[in-house]
Amino acid sequence: MKKINHFIGGVEYISKSDRFGDVFNPAVGEKIADVSLANGDDVQTAISSAKSAFNSWSKTPVLTRSRVMFKFKELLLRDMDKLAAQVTEEHGKILSDAAGSVTRGMEVVEFMSGAPHLLKGEFSENVGTNIDSWSMRQPLGICVGITPFNFPAMVPMWMFVVAIACGNCFILKPSEKDPSLLITLGKLLKEAGLPDGVFNVINGDKEAVDNLITHPDVAAVSFVGSTPVAEYIYHTASKYNKRVQALGGAKNHMIIMPDADLDQVADGLMGAGYGSAGERCMALSVAVAVGGIGDALIEKLKPRVQSLKVGPGNDPEVEMGPLISKAHLSKVKGYVDSGVKAGASLVVDGRDIALQGYENGYFIGGCLFDNVTKDMQIYKEEIFGPVLSVVRTDTFDSALKLVNDHEFGNGVTIYTRDGDTARAFSNQCQIGMVGINVPIPVPMAFHSFGGWKRSLFGDHAMHGMEGIRFFTRLKTVTSRWPDGIRSGAEFIMPTMK
Ligand code: NAD
């Protein structure tokens, strides 16, 4: 059986720990690897390696750091097909989607190739007589990333690319469900010229995470995953005086106004509701039909959901792959059962899908609910599967209230032809990322990604200028050169006369 180890100091590192996790190919339901689960000694080894690399990396000219990013981008392009196949094998998503997710990560590399410009400071001449002042942003030290299973390439790249280009050293703890890609990325970074110890990978579970987020030498913790774990990471790491950004779960709504183009709406809902089997934090899981368009919407959606092509992610004809694990499959089916029990109408039932040759894979077909109400569990909780709920409501105001009353605030979108309605919505919704006639409003690398409410704990979103602020700290220097004039000691606050 293949063993997945760790990556420390530029080489694969074998732990003395005898704890392992199982890694599966979810399309066939077979175990394909044992992943080593790190202990406290392994974490210490990674931290020591990062610590010894920091002094020289943080002093490396920013142009040299950005050239490593340029080279890393070339290598990502060179190996794109292999990287996508690695994502598909362990995660299950279709190959084209896997390549898209690597590309979205690569866009952060492109953004940070501009580090010399992005890290320029500010300078003010003569803030007092013959006194100058300037501000600069300096790296924090050792930063840690902890990432979820659903984007094994993109989400880690949101973090480590920004951190490293800013002059930090980094330790990434990927999801133990699909961990192998990060070691591949570590080797590519080394090939791109990154010095050993600047980027390290620790595989593991809660034991590794707890050792990392409480370690005195760790300066900052960046987390993406489910809300309960995000909240735990935020409180624990903050208690140990780390800077923390912790992104959590979501329940993203699409508001469909009566004047919207329903074909465009249905296309948007299909891709954003069922793409990647709904395992995206920006997946649309609630469609809010405003003002009597519910029947027409269901009529458009039902045949599309029924004809979704479900199968292994490496089949180019397939539109939706399996879920990540057997446990997650039964959790998603449980949600569908609970919706039926609560009285929602199950218009398309994908629970009993059977795929010849893939009987043990973790597949579920697309599910579509109508007449879902806000008290139902399927409305309140994140399902993280291919289950779309249609909620009917009479007015724009009641649709807006639904969105604003929900505990999550990650993404939302409105479909309408009316600019005034769209403007009012984007202005008044309590959500971090908003679309207008766009199904998945994921900000580009040069903007920043982050939700509101219980979808993000901390003050900073990911990548863009927010990411740079998170991974650097501000220093302001006020300077005067001796000019021979001595005015004696002053005991009052310096002010301009
Ligand atoms: P998860 O919270 O189970 O795991 C995320 C990471 O935390 C993993 O590395 C895991 O090993 C670690 N972890 C799990 N339990 C832990 C514990 N008790 N203590 C310490 N560490 C722990 O999430 P997941 O199932 O891998 O990913 C799916 C979730 O991630 C969904 O809720 C999804 O919405 C969310 N997500 C959010 C975003 C975002 O940007 N907001 C992006 C992607 C995924």
Side-chain angles (χ1 to χ4, degrees):
M1 185 63 63
K2 183 172 111 182
K3 292 260 182 298
I4 301 170
N5 297 305
H6 313 272
F7 184 79
I8 300 178
V11 291
E12 270 198 54
Y13 167 88
I14 299 172
S15 165
K16 290 195 183 66
S17 151
D18 55 1
R19 290 197 314 123
F20 289 91
D22 297 335
V23 179
F24 289 87
N25 175 335
V28 287
E30 272 171 20
K31 181 174 163 181
I32 52 172
D34 284 309
V35 58
S36 170
L37 302 176
N39 58 25
D41 290 345
D42 303 323
V43 167
Q44 184 55 54
T45 306
I47 286 180
S48 303
S49 164
K51 206 172 171 178
S52 59
F54 179 68
N55 187 33
S56 133
W57 181 243
S58 58
K59 290 182 186 144
T60 299
V62 64
L63 193 57
T64 309
R65 299 200 303 253
S66 86
R67 283 183 183 146
V68 172
M69 291 298 143
F70 267 107
K71 182 72 188 159
F72 183 44
K73 185 225 154 149
E74 279 172 24
L75 300 177
L76 289 170
L77 276 179
R78 182 195 71 189
D79 290 355
M80 182 61 77
D81 291 348
K82 279 194 251 167
L83 297 170
Q86 211 175 334
V87 170
T88 295
E89 185 183 27
E90 291 178 11
H91 176 279
K93 64 177 79 180
I94 59 172
L95 272 174
S96 51
D97 190 31
S101 72
V102 178
T103 303
R104 289 306 291 256
M106 188 183 76
E107 287 165 7
V108 184
V109 182
E110 291 171 326
F111 173 62
M112 289 312 297
S113 297
H117 178 73
L118 297 168
L119 288 170
K120 273 194 309 202
E122 293 175 328
F123 184 90
S124 298
E125 191 182 40
N126 252 6
V127 292
T129 307
N130 292 336
I131 297 176
D132 302 324
S133 182
W134 65 94
S135 304
M136 58 191 150
R137 302 206 68 96
Q138 295 191 325
L140 305 175
I142 302 174
C143 303
V144 161
I146 300 151
T147 50
F149 78 83
N150 66 322
F151 281 109
M154 180 184 82
V155 170
M157 283 197 264
W158 285 354
M159 303 171 178
F160 73 74
V161 169
V162 180
I164 286 173
C166 288
N168 298 284
C169 291
F170 204 87
I171 301 171
L172 191 93
K173 205 301 284 171
S175 168
E176 60 275 45
K177 292 178 185 136
D178 47 10
S180 73
L181 190 86
L182 270 300
I183 293 185
T184 309
L185 293 183
K187 290 177 181 168
L188 287 185
L189 280 167
K190 186 179 167 104
E191 192 181 338
L194 191 75
D196 293 347
V198 176
F199 176 73
N200 307 276
V201 180
I202 277 287
N203 280 308
D205 53 10
K206 184 171 168 53
E207 184 174 339
V209 171
D210 285 347
N211 275 289
L212 284 165
I213 66 175
T214 57
H215 196 289
D217 290 337
V218 168
V221 176
S222 184
F223 173 88
V224 175
S226 59
T227 287
V229 184
E231 196 167 19
Y232 164 75
I233 299 278
Y234 178 71
H235 288 300
T236 310
S238 304
K239 198 171 104 191
Y240 282 82
N241 299 324
K242 318 294 176 212
R243 185 178 287 198
V244 195
Q245 55 177 182
L247 277 62
K251 193 81 182 173
N252 307 309
H253 296 54
M254 178 196 274
I255 307 301
I256 304 144
M257 295 304 292
D259 64 348
D261 176 333
L262 281 191
D263 283 309
Q264 208 178 50
V265 164
D267 287 342
L269 283 170
M270 289 307 297
Y274 301 97
S276 200
E279 290 174 326
R280 288 182 183 140
C281 66
M282 288 294 274
L284 286 174
S285 50
V286 181
V288 184
V290 181
I293 54 155
D295 288 346
L297 177 66
I298 291 287
E299 213 172 286
K300 296 268 182 208
L301 284 173
K302 186 177 172 184
R304 285 169 155 93
V305 181
Q306 280 170 329
S307 58
L308 256 178
K309 293 191 195 89
V310 182
N314 55 11
D315 177 341
E317 298 294 308
V318 161
E319 294 167 326
M320 190 174 95
L323 292 174
I324 184 72
S325 66
K326 199 173 186 169
H328 191 51
L329 175 63
S330 65
K331 188 174 167 192
V332 172
K333 283 184 176 173
Y335 273 115
V336 180
D337 298 344
S338 104
V340 172
K341 245 187 240 153
S345 339
L346 186 56
V347 179
V348 183
D349 182 358
R351 280 174 294 183
D352 293 323
I353 194 169
L355 293 173
Q356 221 185 353
Y358 295 92
E359 289 80 2
N360 296 324
Y362 311 135
F363 291 99
I364 181 170
C367 298
L368 176 64
F369 274 113
D370 192 8
N371 297 308
V372 173
T373 55
K374 66 178 189 179
D375 49 298
M376 293 179 185
Q377 191 193 14
I378 54 166
Y379 175 76
K380 290 194 278 197
E381 294 177 17
E382 180 182 45
I383 299 174
F384 224 53
V387 183
L388 179 65
S389 294
V390 174
V391 178
R392 297 174 179 230
T393 188
D394 292 334
T395 62
F396 168 82
D397 286 341
S398 54
L400 177 66
K401 185 165 166 28
L402 270 177
V403 168
N404 286 349
D405 285 351
H406 207 286
E407 67 166 322
F408 294 122
N410 213 41
V412 73
T413 188
I414 184 166
Y415 272 58
T416 178
R417 289 188 169 96
D418 183 63
D420 182 35
T421 305
R423 187 178 184 283
F425 182 77
S426 59
N427 205 265
Q428 293 167 38
C429 66
Q430 302 296 306
I431 304 284
M433 293 173 282
V434 184
I436 297 171
N437 299 315
V438 170
I440 310 186
V442 175
M444 300 296 287
F446 33 94
H447 287 267
S448 298
F449 183 109
W452 286 14
K453 298 188 275 185
R454 290 179 63 74
S455 295
L456 191 155
F457 301 87
D459 303 322
H460 293 89
M462 295 272 169
H463 59 70
M465 293 315 292
E466 285 273 289
I468 290 174
R469 279 180 215 115
F470 181 77
F471 285 115
T472 55
R473 54 187 166 173
L474 183 71
K475 183 179 276 180
T476 305
V477 180
T478 305
S479 155
R480 173 168 62 184
W481 291 100
D483 56 7
I485 304 162
R486 300 281 180 269
S487 55
E490 286 178 8
F491 298 96
I492 55 165
M493 282 292 290
T495 52
M496 280 299 295
K497 306 271 175 335

